[in-house]
């Protein structure tokens, strides 16, 4: 048994589960299973429940969040609240449509969307449209679970993609569901080129930890299981997978250092995730956002921004589906509009866009991406 076999086996089990639930007999059995699961959950002692962070406490949430700040109020965003202690953390409590539109200029820029675990084409299209509507060229990347989680696949792929993106030589906006892939790609890039061209990064329901309970949480999300009951039960099943994948304490320590240094201080960053996401540790994401923000403050003038968007009710990586208007508005107002290069009245970045985007250039982008990502399920497309 190898890691690839294990990944394919888990994927096949998910597909069989979905197919089973679509049949009448399967639905009946699923209902009975839910009853049994609830009964078993009531027998578990309190120590088996998921650790709760301060952000998970309802009373704390009600106490710490004030009305909308002037920065958000000027943009007429309804239904948003921000932390009185941390004004860079935006909390969404209801999906009120805003109707607010900001004109951006993405011509000559490239949006790289890294699909996460279980990403589907329709879900990918929704994320690509966030950039395509503003004139960005788009490059969607699909990869399997083993390819996104095993260092022996991640490292050579990251080196290959870093080379491709630097050859394309355009300002880049990353949108990531596969965060480990992103960190390795950034690490392989030339530091000066990266500082000038990596303009923005949107972390959608990332970054997760790499422990057994993260994988168990993803399984709970995929099978629609109660994470409070099933995460502690499913977690130990992923001990062999982590061993086969090469995820070791040494590897995790290296990643912890890597993720804190690879993002340039000039890059604008937006974190978007659900309050009770079974895959994420909310405090872990917040601490990482705080670290990036501290680096930006220390860098002084010319540094980027870092904003954390918290949905009080949203599925893993599905904020764009559960709260489409709010998601799109915050995405533009708190990320893309803060990048000077993306403003309609900004001058072209001569270092990266010496020539205008043409059909030939678009074909060039697609050809290079497909050539260098063959065998890795990486797809590239442009308008």
């Amino acid at each position: 048994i190898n890691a690839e076999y294990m990944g394919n086996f888990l994927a096949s089990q998910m597909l069989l589960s979905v197919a089973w639930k679509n049949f009448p007999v399967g639905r009946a059995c699923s209902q009975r299973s839910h009853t049994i699961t609830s009964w078993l959950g009531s027998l578990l002692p309190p120590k088996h429940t998921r650790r709760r962070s301060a952000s998970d406490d309802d009373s704390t949430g009600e106490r710490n969040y004030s009305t909308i700040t002037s920065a958000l109020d000027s943009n007429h965003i309804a239904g948003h609240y921000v932390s009185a202690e941390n004004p860079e953390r935006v909390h969404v409590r209801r999906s009120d449509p805003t109707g607010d539109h900001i004109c951006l200029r993405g011509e000559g820029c490239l949006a790289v969307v890294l699909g996460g675990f279980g990403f589907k084409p329709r879900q990918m299209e929704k994320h690509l449209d966030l950039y395509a509507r503003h004139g960005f060229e788009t490059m969607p990347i699909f990869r399997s679970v083993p390819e996104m989680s095993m260092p022996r696949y991640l490292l050579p792929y990251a080196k290959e993609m870093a080379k491709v993106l630097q050859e394309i030589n355009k300002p880049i906006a990353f949108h990531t569901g596969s965060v480990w892939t992103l960190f390795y790609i950034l690490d392989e890039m030339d530091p000066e080129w990266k500082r000038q061209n990596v303009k923005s990064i949107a972390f959608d329901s990332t970054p997760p930890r790499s422990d057994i309970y993260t994988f168990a949480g993803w399984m709970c999300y995929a099978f629609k299981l109660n994470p409070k009951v099933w995460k502690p039960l499913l977690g130990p099943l992923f001990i062999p997978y982590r061993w086969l994948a090469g995820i070791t304490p040494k590897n995790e320590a290296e990643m912890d250092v890597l993720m804190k240094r690879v993002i340039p201080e000039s890059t604008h960053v937006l974190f978007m995730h659900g309050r009770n996401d079974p895959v994420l540790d909310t405090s872990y994401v917040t601490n990482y956002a705080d670290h990036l923000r501290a680096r930006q403050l220390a860098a002084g003038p010319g540094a980027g921004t870092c904003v954390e968007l918290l949905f009080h009710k949203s599925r893993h990586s599905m904020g764009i589906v559960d709260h489409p208007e709010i998601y799109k508005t915050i995405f533009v107002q708190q990320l893309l509009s803060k990048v000077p290069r993306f403003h309609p009245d900004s001058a072209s970045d001569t270092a990266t866009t010496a020539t205008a985007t043409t059909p030939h250039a678009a074909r060039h982008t697609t050809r290079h991406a497909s050539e260098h990502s063959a065998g890795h399920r990486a797809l590239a497309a442009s308008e």
Side-chain angles (χ1 to χ4, degrees):
I1 299 178
N2 56 33
E4 266 190 278
Y5 176 83
M6 180 70 73
N8 292 333
F9 172 76
L10 293 174
S12 65
Q13 293 302 307
M14 289 179 57
L15 292 174
L16 287 174
S17 175
V18 172
W20 172 253
K21 289 182 180 180
N22 286 331
F23 286 98
V25 175
R27 287 196 295 269
C29 292
S30 296
Q31 293 174 357
R32 179 64 60 84
S33 174
H34 177 73
T35 302
I36 295 175
T37 299
S38 301
W39 178 74
L40 289 174
S42 65
L43 300 179
L44 290 176
K47 67 178 181 179
H48 287 291
T49 59
R50 182 178 65 87
R51 296 193 304 271
R52 294 173 62 86
S53 63
S55 60
D56 289 332
D57 193 317
D58 289 335
S59 61
T60 302
E62 292 297 332
R63 184 173 61 253
N64 287 342
Y65 306 121
S66 63
T67 56
I68 213 161
T69 60
S70 58
L72 292 179
D73 189 50
S74 64
N75 291 318
H76 308 291
I77 303 178
H80 293 69
Y81 291 80
V82 298
S83 168
E85 299 175 357
N86 183 2
E88 292 298 320
R89 189 172 190 188
V90 183
H91 289 254
V92 181
R93 294 184 181 275
R94 66 176 186 270
S95 297
D96 295 334
T98 62
D100 185 57
H101 301 284
I102 296 178
C103 182
L104 297 172
R105 183 176 66 87
E107 288 78 8
C109 303
L110 177 66
V112 180
V113 182
L114 298 161
F117 288 8
F119 243 59
K120 298 178 177 63
R122 185 176 178 182
Q123 187 178 1
M124 175 64 79
E125 285 298 325
K126 290 181 179 295
H127 288 87
L128 293 176
D129 184 63
L130 292 171
Y131 298 92
R133 63 171 55 192
H134 298 294
F136 286 81
E137 292 181 41
T138 57
M139 181 187 291
I141 297 178
F142 290 97
R143 307 191 75 213
S144 67
V145 172
E147 289 169 334
M148 288 188 285
S149 59
M150 299 184 180
R152 67 171 175 270
Y153 293 130
L154 285 168
L155 292 172
Y157 179 79
K159 184 175 296 186
E160 191 177 7
M161 282 305 299
K163 181 180 178 181
V164 171
L165 295 175
Q166 290 177 113
E167 287 178 354
I168 293 172
N169 199 30
K170 294 181 178 180
I172 295 177
F174 281 106
H175 200 110
T176 182
S178 177
V179 71
W180 301 324
T181 305
L182 171 68
F183 289 146
Y184 281 122
I185 290 175
L186 293 176
D187 188 47
E188 293 294 336
M189 288 179 169
D190 176 76
E192 183 60 25
W193 188 94
K194 178 172 61 176
R195 186 185 65 80
Q196 293 183 3
N197 291 278
V198 178
K199 301 297 185 181
S200 68
I201 301 176
F203 290 92
D204 193 335
S205 298
T206 59
R209 295 182 182 274
S210 56
D211 60 7
I212 57 176
Y213 297 107
T214 294
F215 289 99
W218 182 72
M219 198 70 118
C220 290
Y221 165 71
F223 290 110
K224 299 181 180 179
L225 302 174
N226 185 344
K228 291 183 179 180
V229 176
W230 285 99
K231 276 182 74 171
L233 299 177
L234 294 175
L237 300 179
F238 288 92
I239 294 176
Y241 180 81
R242 275 172 45 91
W243 178 76
L244 292 169
I247 303 174
T248 63
K250 179 182 177 182
N251 175 266
E252 289 179 309
E254 291 174 351
M255 175 56 71
D256 186 59
V257 174
L258 184 72
M259 63 190 290
K260 291 179 178 179
R261 66 171 176 80
V262 293
I263 297 179
E265 290 85 349
S266 58
T267 300
H268 297 268
V269 182
L270 174 64
F271 292 87
M272 297 174 285
H273 60 97
R275 179 170 174 258
N276 296 313
D277 191 324
V279 182
L280 297 184
D281 180 344
T282 303
S283 62
Y284 179 74
V285 178
T286 299
N287 290 339
Y288 182 54
D290 290 341
H291 169 79
L292 295 183
R293 193 175 298 114
R295 289 182 66 224
Q296 291 172 344
L297 291 173
T305 58
C306 181
V307 176
E308 183 182 3
L309 171 63
L310 184 69
F311 292 105
H312 282 252
K313 288 186 178 180
S314 179
R315 294 168 291 171
H316 178 69
S317 294
M318 297 295 281
I320 194 171
V321 176
D322 297 335
H323 307 277
E325 295 297 330
I326 296 263
Y327 187 103
K328 293 173 184 177
T329 301
I330 292 292
F331 172 74
V332 171
Q333 294 180 345
Q334 299 297 321
L335 184 64
L336 294 187
S337 66
K338 294 190 175 185
V339 181
R341 173 60 181 81
F342 300 157
H343 288 181
D345 55 350
S346 68
S348 296
D349 189 339
T350 55
T352 57
T353 57
T355 59
T357 303
T358 64
H360 174 74
R363 288 194 298 271
H364 177 80
T365 301
T366 303
R367 177 174 59 81
H368 274 274
S370 58
E371 285 177 356
H372 292 293
S373 57
H376 294 286
R377 297 190 182 91
L379 305 176
S382 57
E383 291 185 337

